[in-house]
Amino acid sequence: MTSRAGEPSGSDGRVLIIGTGHAGATLAGLLRQAGHTGPIELYGDELDLPYQRPPLSKKFADGELERWLRPAEFYREQDIDIRLGEHITGIDPAARQVRTAAGETRGYDHLVLATGARPRALDVHGTDLNGVVSLRTLADARVLRKCVDERRDLVIVGGGYIGLEVAAVARAAGIRVTVIEREERVLARVASAQLSEIMTAHHRDRGTRIVTSAKVQAIEGSDGRVSGVVLDDGRVLGCQAALVAVGAVPRQELAHDAGLHCEQGVVVDANARTSDPHVLAIGDVTRRPIGNGVLSRLESIPSATEQARQAVSTITGAAPAAAEVPWFWSDQFDLKLKIAGLIPATPRTAIRGDPATGRFALFHHDGETVTAVESANSPAEFMAGKKFIASGARVDPARLADETVPLRDAVIA
Ligand SMILES: Cc1cc2nc3c(=O)[nH]c(=O)nc-3n(C[C@H](O)[C@H](O)[C@H](O)COP(=O)(O)OP(=O)(O)OC[C@H]3O[C@@H](n4cnc5c(N)ncnc54)[C@H](O)[C@@H]3O)c2cc1C
């Protein structure tokens, strides 16, 4: 392990991580696993131990919410100094120090920003009414659970993955659910038009009302409680609970105020480095390379984990791992969706399986190369698609679509 003159070696320097979400907590564990012997301080402003966020939208109704990433003993055993309920208020990059809300300053050799994202606010009147919630934290999910327990009518503003996952759980629990989507189709930013259509039908068949091309004008209430969501065409959708799920914005204020390069996210390279050589950033707060010189925000567990590994390599000087194909999952009713690659604007698609049976894979391609796969209840097809994307293998789309042909035989020799 080499180090620059006068600087502590990467394997024993002081690492200070801001954010106890998936990215920050994973990095702390991986650093120890990689043999880092220096101090690791992990600061987070939530009070709960680091936990998994995906179950918040999938399990809020059935008491399986508190899924800790690691038990409390892990942090003691690994000598990770975890400070819960501590908000970091500023960074002084020249002095290599951060300030805590309690007024302390803490020095670092490597600072890692893992501050994640916060739900995007809906800029209309009435979002402060009781019964209007967003979903990012365990505390938020507990509020949603209460709404299901009380069997309230629910309006969900935003037909993205989180909105649809909540819709599925709430419908399965017998709640009347309406999803309002501003675009012409649900999942417009994150899925192909084919998948949007399949998912819309799947939800409608199970009793969810989906209203597209609809703009929310206000949320109205009585006695301080939400009573309905008003659309700009005058319609009022009555409800006793409303979930605002219109995306997330990166928590980049600390980075921005410290003069780091930010552009709708803290800009990092493929080694998780920011524009300051002593500051790294990982997870949902970043805008990261995704190939072909393109930068994007990837809000997913696989991306946060990959960037935590990149940060370990940068801090310890270990060889960087190969870039991974971006992927994501979502559970809605009986469909276990797995998506890999980047969905093209106008895809050519080979469909394997039958959407009507709930088991299918959409292989998007540009002639002979697979660029993305969207699958439901089809783990083998998903894995094959991910491999095709990673290897750039030449494939025959007609054979991909033919279930009698083994997937490996779709590759053109
Ligand atoms: C409901 C829901 C469902 C999801 N489902 C899936 C899924 O099915 N599959 C998937 O791949 N991904 C899913 N995701 C996305 C995934 O959870 C995120 O990509 C991941 O949690 C990002 O981790 P992170 O550590 O970057 O950010 P976060 O998890 O947001 O953690 C950041 C932490 O930093 C803290 N923090 C911020 N600023 C400060 C500060 N100044 N001082 C101290 N602490 C601070 C925050 O409070 C937070 O605890 C889901 C997300 C949500 C909300």
Side-chain angles (χ1 to χ4, degrees):
M1 191 25 273
T2 54
S3 66
R4 276 173 272 176
E7 290 181 3
S9 121
S11 65
D12 60 10
R14 175 179 291 272
V15 178
L16 196 152
I17 305 168
I18 310 177
T20 48
H22 190 89
T26 302
L27 169 63
L30 288 178
L31 262 179
R32 281 286 181 249
Q33 209 176 306
H36 180 84
T37 54
I40 302 177
E41 288 178 29
L42 182 56
Y43 283 85
D45 54 14
E46 289 187 68
L47 295 172
D48 291 298
L49 275 177
Y51 56 89
Q52 302 190 26
R53 291 196 200 279
L56 302 185
S57 48
K58 302 167 182 74
K59 301 280 177 193
F60 61 88
D62 62 10
E64 280 186 63
L65 275 179
E66 287 82 358
R67 294 210 190 158
W68 311 127
L69 285 170
R70 302 281 196 175
E73 307 80 80
F74 173 82
Y75 302 95
R76 273 196 297 279
E77 284 162 12
Q78 297 295 316
D79 195 17
I80 294 166
D81 186 1
I82 182 164
R83 314 273 186 109
L84 299 172
E86 288 235 32
H87 183 67
I88 302 292
T89 53
I91 305 169
D92 180 343
R96 283 196 227 153
Q97 286 180 340
V98 302
R99 268 187 319 282
T100 71
E104 279 182 26
T105 53
R106 308 289 300 172
Y108 62 81
D109 297 307
H110 303 277
L111 175 66
V112 185
L113 299 173
T115 48
R118 60 167 65 84
R120 188 186 300 282
L122 195 61
D123 189 17
V124 300
H125 185 74
T127 51
D128 54 347
L129 288 163
N130 273 335
V132 180
V133 293
S134 55
L135 181 55
R136 182 81 197 176
T137 64
L138 255 177
D140 296 335
R142 289 178 185 131
V143 174
L144 257 188
R145 178 192 288 166
K146 199 159 169 274
C147 139
V148 168
D149 288 348
E150 290 172 4
R151 311 194 72 74
R152 301 194 192 146
D153 290 16
L154 175 65
V155 167
I156 299 173
V157 183
Y161 280 115
I162 290 179
L164 291 186
E165 287 178 355
V166 170
V169 176
R171 266 314 294 148
I175 308 285
R176 265 199 302 265
V177 179
T178 303
V179 175
I180 300 171
E181 170 54 53
R182 187 186 58 180
E183 306 296 326
E184 282 176 4
R185 59 182 175 95
V186 298
L187 302 174
R189 280 187 313 114
V190 287
S192 67
Q194 291 104 312
L195 186 63
S196 291
E197 198 179 314
I198 294 165
M199 296 313 297
T200 301
H202 205 75
H203 280 263
R204 283 188 173 145
D205 288 350
R206 283 153 188 78
T208 305
R209 181 175 175 205
I210 297 182
V211 185
T212 54
S213 305
K215 197 156 177 272
V216 173
Q217 192 174 63
I219 300 183
E220 61 181 23
S222 65
D223 297 332
R225 269 217 83 80
V226 60
S227 62
V229 175
V230 185
L231 302 184
D232 66 354
D233 60 8
R235 272 181 292 176
V236 180
L237 308 169
C239 62
Q240 298 85 47
L243 170 71
V244 176
V246 292
V249 289
R251 291 180 68 170
Q252 63 181 31
E253 303 83 5
L254 285 174
H256 179 267
D257 293 349
L260 302 184
H261 182 197
C262 297
E263 251 179 62
Q264 295 164 328
V266 183
V267 175
V268 291
D269 67 11
N271 298 306
R273 289 195 183 95
T274 68
S275 53
D276 180 316
H278 295 281
V279 184
L280 307 179
I282 58 178
D284 281 14
V285 74
T286 65
R287 191 168 180 84
R288 51 162 293 176
I290 52 165
N292 299 334
V294 178
L295 292 177
S296 184
R297 289 192 57 238
L298 295 180
E299 295 170 47
S300 74
I301 297 293
S303 173
T305 307
E306 183 187 20
Q307 288 185 300
R309 288 204 190 95
Q310 293 169 355
V312 170
S313 301
T314 301
I315 292 169
T316 64
E324 288 172 20
V325 173
W327 73 275
F328 185 80
W329 79 91
S330 175
D331 300 341
Q332 293 172 43
F333 295 110
D334 52 337
L335 299 185
K336 293 210 171 301
L337 301 174
K338 284 191 171 181
I339 295 113
L342 303 170
I343 312 297
T346 47
R348 291 150 78 183
T349 307
I351 304 177
R352 190 174 176 99
D354 179 1
T357 65
R359 211 183 63 72
F360 62 90
L362 311 177
F363 291 97
H364 304 299
H365 58 87
D366 60 10
E368 287 187 340
T369 312
V370 176
T371 54
V373 58
E374 297 176 304
S375 67
N377 299 336
S378 303
E381 283 75 6
F382 169 74
M383 286 310 292
K386 197 158 162 266
K387 276 192 194 144
F388 293 150
I389 300 165
S391 66
R394 288 176 58 223
V395 294
D396 176 350
R399 281 192 251 163
L400 271 184
D402 184 348
E403 281 199 281
T404 64
V405 178
L407 282 162
R408 61 177 176 279
D409 293 344
V411 177
I412 301 168

